[in-house]
Amino acid sequence: MTPILEARGLAKRFGERTIFSGVDLAVRKREITGLVGSNGAGKTTLLRTLLGFLRPSAGEVARSAPPGAVEHFGGAPTLPPHVSAGTWARLVSRGSAACDDRRPIRTLSRGSRQILGLSTVLARREARAFLLDEPWEGLDPDGSRWLSETVRARREDGCGFLDSSHRLHDLAGLCERYAFLVGGRLTLFTAADIGEHVGAAELVRVFDVLRCSP
């Protein structure tokens, strides 16, 4: 099956500092990949490079999806503060998201801004892939459950996901694959590779093994 989005030998450097190199990663239909790594590991930089916001230092990113079919949400701070919630939702979702809230986005709580952004982006019916950066951040238990259920539903619609998150208990059990970005190298595992049951403890165990590897 042709991936929706695929990185081949991807590398990114800022000056003499190498953030990551040799990254091979594919976003496929009906598959959720969890991106795991410590603060400063380069997860956001990887997402931005995959999206074309940053130019890779080496390698390439190939897309089989048409323009506009790969969506991204980078968190509540990326929303325009002075635009009304309803106006922004209608513009970004192209009418797919129902939101009649006239309040400026800056007046919403952090969790409400996060839900607004996620619900608007995930409502884009023409989207075939979603790259989400810390999507569970700021969500309460109800919001977290809604997000996980919505991601699963869009996967069943045929969409692929690359979700970067520190909240391992939310990623655990949701993903078909897990990508660990440690020391500038990306290592991929299927859920079956990790174990019969994938919980947060199992993901931490794999992360610790990779971190201690030479």
Side-chain angles (χ1 to χ4, degrees):
M1 182 183 298
T2 302
I4 303 168
L5 185 70
E6 184 176 17
R8 302 166 183 160
L10 204 64
K12 183 59 185 177
R13 292 184 292 273
F14 292 111
E16 296 184 357
R17 183 188 175 203
T18 298
I19 308 302
F20 54 78
S21 62
V23 168
D24 295 318
L25 178 64
V27 179
R28 296 186 174 91
K29 295 179 181 179
R30 294 187 173 85
E31 185 175 84
I32 304 168
T33 299
L35 180 58
V36 179
S38 59
N39 287 329
K43 300 185 301 298
T44 296
T45 299
L46 175 57
L47 293 181
R48 291 175 63 81
T49 306
L50 289 170
L51 289 159
F53 299 162
L54 295 173
R55 179 177 295 179
S57 302
E60 63 176 354
V61 178
R63 291 191 184 196
S64 64
V70 177
E71 289 291 339
H72 166 252
F73 183 60
T78 66
L79 301 182
H82 301 292
V83 179
S84 77
T87 298
W88 182 83
R90 286 192 299 274
L91 289 173
V92 172
S93 71
R94 297 179 184 175
S96 298
C99 179
D100 57 4
D101 195 332
R102 297 183 178 181
R103 292 177 295 171
I105 290 173
R106 69 177 186 278
T107 66
L108 304 179
S109 69
R110 181 187 181 189
S112 295
R113 294 197 305 272
Q114 188 80 352
I115 287 287
L116 171 68
L118 288 165
S119 60
T120 300
V121 169
L122 291 169
R124 292 284 297 271
R125 304 313 301 178
E126 68 272 25
R128 305 321 304 156
F130 296 92
L131 277 61
L132 306 179
D133 196 354
E134 297 294 343
W136 286 274
E137 193 69 26
L139 299 185
D140 62 16
D142 287 335
S144 297
R145 181 167 52 247
W146 165 84
L147 176 58
S148 297
E149 290 173 352
T150 302
V151 168
R152 288 190 180 100
R154 293 306 319 259
R155 175 185 60 189
E156 294 307 308
D157 289 341
C159 296
F161 283 84
L162 179 59
D163 294 345
S164 171
S165 182
H166 290 123
R167 291 182 38 167
L168 300 184
H169 59 284
D170 288 306
L171 281 181
L174 179 68
C175 305
E176 283 75 33
R177 295 193 301 158
Y178 296 90
F180 292 81
L181 187 57
V182 179
R185 295 179 296 178
L186 191 78
T187 306
L188 284 164
F189 296 90
T190 66
D193 290 334
I194 294 173
E196 183 177 351
H197 169 75
V198 179
E202 286 72 28
L203 296 179
V204 170
R205 174 179 55 80
V206 174
F207 174 75
D208 285 341
V209 169
L210 292 173
R211 186 168 53 176
C212 295
S213 299

